[in-house]
């Protein structure tokens, strides 16, 4: 029979290295001109006028070994020609890679506060890409000098096929727009505080509103299974299980991730539950690091891969608690944004209701997994469900009267993981076919309503609906055989397909100005089937992609006339077509300067 690519658990190092190279994780091809990565992501809309530009770094290598590399520093100085307040502050980042490298993520920080983060894109050929972020809400951070850093996170257990140092080079700059009549300076948070999740911080005593930006995009968790199910069905732990535990190493690990297929971020303030953030199901470049490399990010990356955006938790009901004497501990890393009473140095207050306190919100797992003892087939579905509702109310006695703040939030979560495993965990002397397939159908929605009042007067209402639906199929077919002092696995074909969406609808109401309504719809649909190389009559037949295509789209509208649409269609690893402005008036994109078409948190600071 044809002898497919072999991945061998064997004492012979040479045979292992050969098999890994054939599997497609050897050295990258010679360097060539970088290809510009095409995405449908919108640019941050500029304010009017000419901005002052502060260059943070220019064509700097993201070098270093092992863990976070924080030895790459730069010095930031505020622009002398553009003094605060600013109408807008925009971060622009340009990155490029010269070869394939194994990097989990890339970031830029200033004064210990993360300004930019992306999920380590992996390209075999040289590539370059651009990203932007609206940092207007972080203006207070930028009014004084700081030391900044740029870094990558590398996994020391991974082999970097291109070498032992990072192949990424980057430039970054800040654009400061002076206020004009058309684009005035917005009200921004008065204090920006770095939180590491474990160190108490000392805060001002005149806080009237508080928000926490948390990074909520994480890969792989939606493929994980409860620990008790992994214990009951150990063959779920396999060399070909999807996930980042499959290292680019000489001896690939048998693995699958535990902890269950549900994640959320609960925020505690001084030990009291204060808020919940949903976790975005980030799709990494490699569904299986060793065997389906670059299946989803070439040529168009998945949602948020190149620019991970934070989720903003409203902690305003806890403003009075923050004002109490002493230090305060917020349980998760993030950026705390505080609005202060500028007419008082101390503002009293407290919590009047908290139905989140004492409610664990643990998910419910059910399983229909059944293993056939004769056929060695394991089939069934692991279902993970969670639903919660809570309301938190608090008050602060400000110079303008007692302000009451409330946050009502409800969420639903449903993750169905259908498993189909065929063949023995390890063969017994004869070649046998094996299959590892996991199909995920995930629905995650969060609805939040925040209100602020003084007596019977409504100061504002903010309504947000967020949804993260995901359909995902991972399929790996192999042949396994015991060879006496080890065993071989022949790769035959692998498939990954996904439909990923990100939906955000908001309705912000201010009595003096009415409603501001926005809609964001972002999607990535991709599929790739890879047939592996094999030897036939002494000749090598190359690997082939029998089905490889993707479509990425971004759409944003608001009731002030903003409309943005862009899409990228790819076929066989190359961009086939692009579209911009489809469905917008006149077929053209037009976005108001204050809008957040990328879906980043919006403080509505332009609405005083």
């Amino acid at each position: 029979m044809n002898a497919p690519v072999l991945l061998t658990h064997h004492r012979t190092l040479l045979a292992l290295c050969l098999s890994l190279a054939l599997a497609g994780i050897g050295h990258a091809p010679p360097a060539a001109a970088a290809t510009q990565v095409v995405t449908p992501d919108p640019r941050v809309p500029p304010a009017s006028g000419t901005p002052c530009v502060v260059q943070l770094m220019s064509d700097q290598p993201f070098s270093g070994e092992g863990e976070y590399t924080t030895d790459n520093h730069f010095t930031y100085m505020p622009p002398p020609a553009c003094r605060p307040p600013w109408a807008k502050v925009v971060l622009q980042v340009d990155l490029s890679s010269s070869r394939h490298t194994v990097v989990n993520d890339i970031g830029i920080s200033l004064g210990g506060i993360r300004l930019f983060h992306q999920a380590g894109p992996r390209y075999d050929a040289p590539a370059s890409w651009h990203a932007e972020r609206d940092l207007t809400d972080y203006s207070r951070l930028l009014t004084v000098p700081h030391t900044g850093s740029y870094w990558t996170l590398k996994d020391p257990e991974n082999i970097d096929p291109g070498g032992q140092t990072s192949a990424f080079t980057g430039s970054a700059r800040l654009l400061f727009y002076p206020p004009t009549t058309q684009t005035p300076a917005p009200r921004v948070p008065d204090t920006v505080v770095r939180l590491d999740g474990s160190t108490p911080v000392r805060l001002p005593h005149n806080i009237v509103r508080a928000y926490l930006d948390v990074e909520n995009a994480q890969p792989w968790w939606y493929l994980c299974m409860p620990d008790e199910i992994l214990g009951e069905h150990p063959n779920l732990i396999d060399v070909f299980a999807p996930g980042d535990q499959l290292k680019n190493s000489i001896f690939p690990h048998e693995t699958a991730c535990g902890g269950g297929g549900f994640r959320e971020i609960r925020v505690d303030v001084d030990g009291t539950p204060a808020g919940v953030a949903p976790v975005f199901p980030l799709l990494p470049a490699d569904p299986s690091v060793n065997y389906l490399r670059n299946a989803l990010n070439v040529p168009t990356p998945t949602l948020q891969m190149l620019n991970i955006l934070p989720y903003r938790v409203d902690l305003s009901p806890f403003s009075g608690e923050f004002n109490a004497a002493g230090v305060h501990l917020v349980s998760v890393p993030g950026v705390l944004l505080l609005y202060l009473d500028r007419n008082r140095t101390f503002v009293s207050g407290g919590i009047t209701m908290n139905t989140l306190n004492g409610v664990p919100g643990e998910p419910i797992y059910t399983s229909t997994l059944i293993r056939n003892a004769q056929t060695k087939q394991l089939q069934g579905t692991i279902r993970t469900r969670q639903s919660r509702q809570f309301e938190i109310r608090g008050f602060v006695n400000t110079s303008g009267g007692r302000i009451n703040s409330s946050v009502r939030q409800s969420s639903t979560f449903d993750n169905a993981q259908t498993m189909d495993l065929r063949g023995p965990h390890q063969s017994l002397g004869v070649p046998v076919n094996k299959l590892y397939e996991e199909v995920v159908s995930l629905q995650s929605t969060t609805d939040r309503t925040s209100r602020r009042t003084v007596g019977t007067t409504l100061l504002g209402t903010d309504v947000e609906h967020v949804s993260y639906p995901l359909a995902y199929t991972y399929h790996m077919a192999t042949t396994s055989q015991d060879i006496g002092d080890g065993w071989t696995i022949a790769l035959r074909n692998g498939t990954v397909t996904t439909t990923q969406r990100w939906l955000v609808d908001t309705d912000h109401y201010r009595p003096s100005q009415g409603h501001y309504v926005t809609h964001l719809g972002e999607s990535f649909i991709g599929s790739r089937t890879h047939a592996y190389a094999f030897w036939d009559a002494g000749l090598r037949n190359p690997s082939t992609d029998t089905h490889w295509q993707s479509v990425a789209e971004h759409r944003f509208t608001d009731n002030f006339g903003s409309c943005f649409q862009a899409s990228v269609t790819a076929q066989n690893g190359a961009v086939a077509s692009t579209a911009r402005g489809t469905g917008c008036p006149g077929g053209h994109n037009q976005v108001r300067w204050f809008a957040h078409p990328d879906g980043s948190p919006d403080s509505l600071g332009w609405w005083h």
Side-chain angles (χ1 to χ4, degrees), residues 53-123:
V53 179
V54 175
Q55 195 74 29
L56 302 180
M57 48 189 289
S58 298
D59 297 325
Q60 293 298 311
F62 284 71
S63 60
E65 301 290 338
E67 302 294 334
Y68 277 103
T69 60
T70 57
D71 54 338
N72 302 310
H73 297 293
F74 60 85
T75 299
Y76 163 78
M77 298 294 293
C82 292
R83 301 182 62 83
W86 303 294
K88 200 159 196 173
V89 182
V90 179
L91 173 68
Q92 295 183 340
V93 180
D94 291 287
L95 287 162
S96 62
S97 64
S98 60
R99 51 173 165 74
H100 176 78
T101 104
V102 181
V103 171
N104 289 351
D105 57 20
I106 304 171
I108 300 174
S109 298
L110 186 66
I113 290 178
R114 184 174 292 179
L115 303 182
F116 172 75
H117 183 202
Q118 62 179 214
R122 299 170 184 173
Y123 298 101

Side-chain angles (χ1 to χ4, degrees), residues 117-381:
H117 183 202
Q118 62 179 214
R122 299 170 184 173
Y123 298 101
D124 286 334
S128 61
W129 54 93
H130 179 87
E132 297 188 358
R133 183 178 172 190
D134 187 337
L135 291 178
T136 310
D137 281 349
Y138 290 27
S139 290
R140 293 296 180 188
L141 171 71
L142 305 172
T143 58
V144 296
H146 284 289
T147 297
S149 62
Y150 51 98
W151 40 262
T152 62
L153 176 61
K154 296 176 64 179
D155 190 329
E157 293 187 36
N158 265 320
I159 293 176
D160 182 346
Q164 295 302 313
T165 58
S166 172
F168 292 98
T169 302
S171 299
R173 67 203 63 85
L174 288 168
L175 277 59
F176 296 85
Y177 289 87
T180 66
T181 303
Q182 295 78 21
T183 58
R187 171 72 191 274
V188 297
D190 298 289
T191 303
V192 179
V193 182
R194 171 184 175 267
L195 301 174
D196 64 12
S198 60
T199 305
V201 294
R202 194 171 300 276
L203 301 174
H205 301 301
N206 56 341
I207 301 168
V208 296
R209 279 193 290 157
Y211 302 91
L212 177 66
D213 280 357
V214 296
E215 199 166 277
N216 72 321
Q218 301 173 11
W220 307 115
W221 59 266
Y222 40 87
L223 300 173
C224 298
M225 287 159 274
D227 295 334
E228 58 270 27
I229 291 179
L230 287 177
E232 183 180 354
H233 300 285
N235 57 320
L236 289 169
I237 304 173
D238 192 271
V239 170
F240 292 103
D244 62 348
Q245 294 90 342
L246 298 178
K247 309 298 183 182
N248 284 351
S249 62
I250 295 299
F251 296 95
H253 300 291
E254 292 184 320
T255 186
C257 55
F262 168 77
R263 297 292 186 275
E264 69 177 11
I265 300 173
R266 199 185 79 176
V267 181
D268 291 355
V269 173
D270 297 331
T272 300
V276 175
V279 176
F280 182 76
L282 183 68
L283 290 174
D286 303 339
S288 169
V289 171
N290 280 322
Y291 317 119
L292 283 172
R293 197 179 73 194
N294 296 350
L296 290 178
N297 71 319
V298 176
T300 302
T302 59
L303 306 188
Q304 292 202 41
M305 179 182 290
L306 299 184
N307 195 2
I308 297 176
L309 299 174
Y311 180 90
R312 184 160 293 177
V313 180
D314 189 349
L315 297 179
S316 294
F318 274 79
S319 296
E321 302 293 315
F322 283 137
N323 290 333
V327 295
H328 300 277
L329 177 62
V330 180
S331 62
V332 300
V335 181
L336 190 62
L337 305 172
L338 305 175
Y339 291 85
L340 309 180
D341 187 335
R342 296 174 178 175
N343 298 316
R344 286 189 178 179
T345 57
F346 175 75
V347 173
S348 62
I351 297 292
T352 59
M353 173 188 286
N354 187 352
T355 63
L356 181 60
N357 193 13
V359 180
E362 295 296 327
I364 298 174
Y365 296 102
T366 60
S367 173
T368 63
L369 284 177
I370 297 177
R371 180 168 175 80
N372 188 307
Q374 292 182 334
T375 65
K376 309 300 183 184
Q377 185 173 14
L378 177 65
Q379 288 183 310
T381 299

Side-chain angles (χ1 to χ4, degrees), residues 571-593:
Q571 192 79 31
N572 298 323
V575 173
S577 64
T578 62
R580 297 182 65 86
T582 303
C584 292
H588 300 288
N589 291 328
Q590 48 189 4
V591 181
R592 299 295 298 273
W593 72 276

